[in-house]
Amino acid sequence: MKRFLGVFLALIMVAATVVSCAPAASITATTASTVTDADSSASKEGVGTDAPELAPKPGAIVGEAKAYTGLPLKLGVSFEGNKITEIQILKMSDTKWVGQAAIQQVIDDVIKYQSVNVDVMAGATISSKAAIEAVTNAIKLKGLDPANYQKKPAKEAASTKTIEMKSDVVVIGAGGAGLAAAVSANQNGAKVIVFEKMPRIGGNTVISGAAYNAVDPKRQKAAGVEDSIDKFYTQMYEGGDKKAKPELVRTFVENAYPALEWLESLGMKFNDTIFTVLGALWPRSHQPSDPVGTGYFNTYMNYINEHSEDVKLYLNTEVTEIIKENGRVVGVKAKNADGMITAYAVKGVIDAAGGFGANVEMRNKYNKIWPDLTSIGTTNQPGATGDGMIMAEEIGANLIDMQEIQLLPMGDPITGSLSGNIEQSVENRIFVNKSGNRFVDEGARRDVMTKGLFQQEDGFMWVIVDKHSYPTGDVKNNFSESIDQLVAEGRAYKADTIEDLAKQIGVDPKNLKNAVDTFNKAVDKSIVDPFGRTLFKHKLDTPPYYAGARKPTVHHTMGGVEITTSAQVLDKNGKVIPGLYAAGEVTGGIHGGNRLGGNAVPDTVIFGKIAGESAALGK
């Protein structure tokens, strides 16, 4: 495992060519590496989402393409004759840890292979293609023939070398739960190795809306919200149809705010306002100050970079087996381009490999609730394939609640992702079908709303909001997309009257006007909402009005490995499997039959933190 992926933290903000080795965030298509901090003029100059555009180096040709955000990606490409010698990132706005990592990977591969016919990063296809297009445009502007840069790089054969490693704790997966566990284990005195099969960190958490539910006396009191641990417990337990393990629910609700304080102690920032995320049932959702889920990973990676001697992170490294000897888990087997790895864990292995929302075969195998899920999109990243559950079951772990698969009514009609969603809070929007009529309580549980949506024509709806959600056109949604951008791209519609909005989206103007008027009367409490809705704040009465299309999408798998309150994995007889711990979406028994909106991220933090501590201390 030779070359260091040192640049991970810097490279995602990068403008310079990096010389490390994992395609995860940067570099060549080789493999694993340890993530540490590295010096970079890019990070110093502040290239990133909201940074000013950098000037190209003398002689560089500026190539431009539209990035994932819809904003320009600008690259300065330097040549010596026909050879591409350097690619400088001048301006980019894609998400840190995902889009930016993909762009850097393309840059490194283009320089290495002198070809734009390079692989795109799984889970960041649009960003990867934008980088390829920007380089291609620079080649054209240079007066060179792009056809000369289309040679497909030969695949490098994987090494057959065998590698042996040893650490106190080995973590499977570098998503939210995995990195929380790694940091926690190290804080409790353990040396840690983390293996991630994907070319980037973050899992589903980094591309999530990032809402974090917790009873927070300070922020909630300021908002006039009354809450309690017992109220949170009741809503979570009953909201999951009383199918969850009560002791896990109690552990969750009691530790949610202390875990948030733990994040803050590591440097993470949350906004002061409290809101109600879709399906949360109560205003206790916290929003990180950084966009989407990047704040969690900025926080974890800052810690890991500062403790790089004790915490090693390997990307593009797939764990294939959990090793169990004499009844105890003692390590894992893994593979990457450097060879076959056996990593021994003195104190324990933490399974944080995520759910199976992106595994169509697996979700159809366990689905007993929904229509066939073969053609339904997913919000999940492509690495969410259930590997951690399968490997744990192979050594005797018990799987529970596997049939409990959560769908959301909020998927992009084309991709299934959550991007493009125009809602800002549950209280200030309604859903209407293709006829312009409301059809469900928009403050209800996620499964209730999704089942209601499946009954509508084409399983299709429009989200309707007004100026209360977007006071100005540059206000962004939870995915760092401004409403003006979404309108310009045709992903949202804008009008000064409800009737004009109805015409733009092709619904009956009378029906839409009636839907809005009825909702406004319910806000006024002059009528009882016909769908039983109780969560309100503002009327929909202030132009401009906006509409965005949504369809059902697979979002979260509530089933998985059964654990104790100490995150120890249980076998089929209810006995602890010594040396094996689990956290995050790979586990079951926490959410029951329905996960409340805003509970996924704290799940990763709460039980990731517990798993790290338990493994390090031998609990």
Side-chain angles (χ1 to χ4, degrees):
M1 306 307 239
K2 17 196 200 235
R3 297 166 282 179
F4 286 86
L5 204 220
V7 286
F8 203 5
L9 184 62
L11 60 81
I12 36 77
M13 303 291 289
V14 66
T17 302
V18 222
V19 286
S20 176
C21 67
S26 66
I27 349 215
T28 71
T30 42
T31 77
S33 38
T34 322
V35 179
T36 54
D37 199 8
D39 185 28
S40 166
S41 60
S43 60
K44 289 179 180 178
E45 293 180 78
V47 174
T49 305
D50 297 314
E53 184 175 332
L54 296 179
K57 292 186 176 180
I61 305 298
V62 178
E64 185 174 330
K66 186 168 76 170
Y68 178 80
T69 59
L71 300 173
L73 167 67
K74 295 184 180 181
L75 303 179
V77 184
S78 297
F79 298 84
E80 287 183 6
N82 294 337
K83 183 180 180 181
I84 299 172
T85 57
E86 184 176 357
I87 300 174
Q88 179 190 14
I89 299 177
L90 306 175
K91 184 67 176 177
M92 69 177 167
S93 57
D94 283 8
T95 305
K96 189 176 180 179
W97 305 116
V98 184
Q100 295 182 19
I103 290 165
Q104 188 59 46
Q105 174 184 310
V106 168
I107 287 172
D108 295 330
D109 286 352
V110 167
I111 294 171
K112 178 179 180 180
Y113 299 113
Q114 293 297 299
S115 173
V116 293
N117 193 5
V118 296
D119 291 337
V120 300
M121 180 188 285
T125 303
I126 296 174
S127 298
S128 300
K129 289 182 176 179
I132 292 169
E133 182 181 351
V135 174
T136 302
N137 288 337
I139 291 169
K140 292 177 181 177
L141 290 171
K142 178 68 174 174
L144 301 172
D145 186 353
N148 294 330
Y149 298 86
Q150 284 292 333
K151 181 181 178 181
K152 184 67 177 175
K155 291 287 184 182
E156 297 180 4
S159 173
T160 57
K161 183 171 62 173
T162 58
I163 303 162
E164 189 170 297
M165 300 179 177
K166 187 176 183 180
S167 188
D168 294 324
V169 174
V170 173
V171 180
I172 307 170
L179 292 195
V183 171
S184 175
N186 183 249
Q187 286 184 325
N188 285 279
K191 292 183 182 294
V192 184
I193 290 174
V194 184
F195 291 129
E196 170 57 54
K197 72 176 183 180
M198 298 298 287
R200 64 165 178 86
I201 65 170
N204 282 338
T205 305
V206 78
I207 58 172
S208 72
Y212 187 113
N213 284 349
V215 176
D216 181 341
K218 184 169 119 182
R219 290 181 177 92
Q220 287 179 304
K221 184 177 180 180
V225 175
E226 293 186 9
D227 203 1
S228 69
I229 296 293
D230 287 340
K231 185 182 185 99
F232 192 8
Y233 173 87
T234 299
Q235 289 183 329
M236 183 173 173
Y237 185 57
E238 294 183 354
D241 299 321
K242 300 182 179 180
K243 293 179 179 179
K245 297 175 69 173
E247 65 272 24
L248 294 181
V249 177
R250 179 60 64 178
T251 298
F252 183 107
V253 299
E254 290 181 351
N255 285 278
Y257 187 66
L260 184 147
E261 291 182 303
W262 176 67
L263 289 170
E264 290 179 323
S265 75
L266 292 169
M268 187 165 174
K269 304 294 184 186
F270 287 88
N271 298 336
D272 288 334
T273 53
I274 293 290
F275 70 107
T276 309
V277 74
L278 178 101
L281 305 183
W282 198 253
R284 59 173 69 93
S285 304
H286 298 67
Q287 191 68 39
S289 299
D290 289 333
V292 285
T294 59
Y296 299 97
F297 295 94
N298 294 338
T299 302
Y300 295 141
M301 289 307 302
N302 284 340
Y303 179 93
I304 289 171
N305 286 329
E306 290 170 3
H307 299 81
S308 58
E309 291 301 311
D310 294 331
V311 184
K312 307 295 185 184
L313 171 55
Y314 296 89
L315 304 173
N316 290 303
T317 304
E318 180 182 3
V319 175
T320 57
E321 181 183 341
I322 298 171
I323 304 170
K324 185 179 180 185
E325 295 177 355
N326 300 318
R328 180 180 178 82
V329 168
V330 298
V332 303
K333 290 184 179 180
K335 63 181 180 179
N336 60 34
D338 285 337
M340 305 302 295
I341 304 163
T342 300
Y344 291 103
V346 176
K347 296 184 175 181
V349 170
I350 300 173
D351 187 351
F356 59 93
N359 186 331
V360 174
E361 180 180 352
M362 196 167 174
R363 68 196 195 195
N364 278 338
K365 172 184 176 181
Y366 290 108
N367 175 36
K368 295 182 175 64
I369 300 169
W370 302 102
D372 183 78
L373 298 177
T374 301
S375 59
I376 300 291
T378 181
T379 63
N380 288 202
Q381 53 95 18
T385 51
D387 307 355
M389 299 175 196
I390 296 168
M391 289 186 290
E393 188 177 33
E394 286 174 348
I395 61 157
N398 191 43
L399 303 185
I400 58 174
D401 298 339
M402 294 298 286
Q403 74 281 1
E404 306 296 349
I405 300 171
Q406 183 174 75
L407 272 63
L408 277 186
M410 303 303 289
D412 181 278
I414 297 173
T415 67
S417 76
L418 291 178
S419 67
N421 180 13
I422 67 170
E423 74 164 4
Q424 294 285 51
S425 67
V426 167
E427 290 86 351
N428 299 325
R429 49 76 172 135
I430 61 171
F431 302 157
V432 299
N433 58 22
K434 284 190 169 184
S435 297
N437 296 315
R438 287 177 64 208
F439 57 89
V440 74
D441 170 6
E442 299 93 343
R445 290 173 20 164
R446 290 175 165 187
D447 56 344
V448 171
M449 289 184 281
T450 306
K451 287 174 182 176
L453 181 54
F454 268 120
Q455 295 171 6
Q456 308 311 305
E457 182 183 354
D458 297 328
F460 182 98
M461 72 176 186
W462 295 98
V463 178
I464 309 295
V465 300
D466 70 353
K467 189 173 183 177
H468 290 105
S469 292
Y470 293 95
T472 61
D474 58 358
V475 172
K476 295 180 178 181
N477 63 10
N478 288 340
F479 295 85
S480 202
E481 302 160 315
S482 74
I483 192 65
D484 280 353
Q485 172 193 334
L486 293 174
V487 170
E489 293 173 356
R491 299 167 68 194
Y493 296 84
K494 175 183 179 181
D496 287 330
T497 68
I498 291 295
E499 290 81 1
D500 184 29
L501 187 69
K503 291 176 183 176
Q504 288 189 47
I505 64 176
V507 306
D508 187 308
K510 291 182 180 178
N511 289 347
L512 184 59
K513 182 72 164 53
N514 180 64
V516 171
D517 289 346
T518 302
F519 169 79
N520 289 341
K521 290 176 183 177
V523 177
D524 267 348
K525 297 184 178 178
S526 59
I527 65 168
V528 174
D529 185 79
F531 297 95
R533 176 167 167 166
T534 58
L535 287 172
F536 305 100
K537 187 172 183 181
H538 298 295
K539 293 181 180 181
L540 294 175
D541 63 356
T542 308
Y545 301 97
Y546 300 94
R550 299 281 98 179
K551 293 195 77 170
T553 185
V554 175
H555 186 54
H556 193 96
T557 50
M558 278 85 74
V561 178
E562 186 175 10
I563 60 170
T564 69
T565 56
S566 297
Q568 300 161 298
V569 173
L570 298 175
D571 67 16
K572 297 183 186 302
N573 296 314
K575 301 289 182 64
V576 168
I577 299 176
L580 184 60
Y581 306 84
E585 199 172 344
V586 76
T587 65
I590 296 172
H591 304 288
N594 173 65
R595 179 180 64 76
L596 300 192
N599 274 7
V601 173
D603 181 7
T604 69
V605 182
I606 294 162
F607 285 98
K609 181 175 181 292
I610 289 171
E613 180 180 353
S614 295
L617 301 180
K619 292 184 178 180

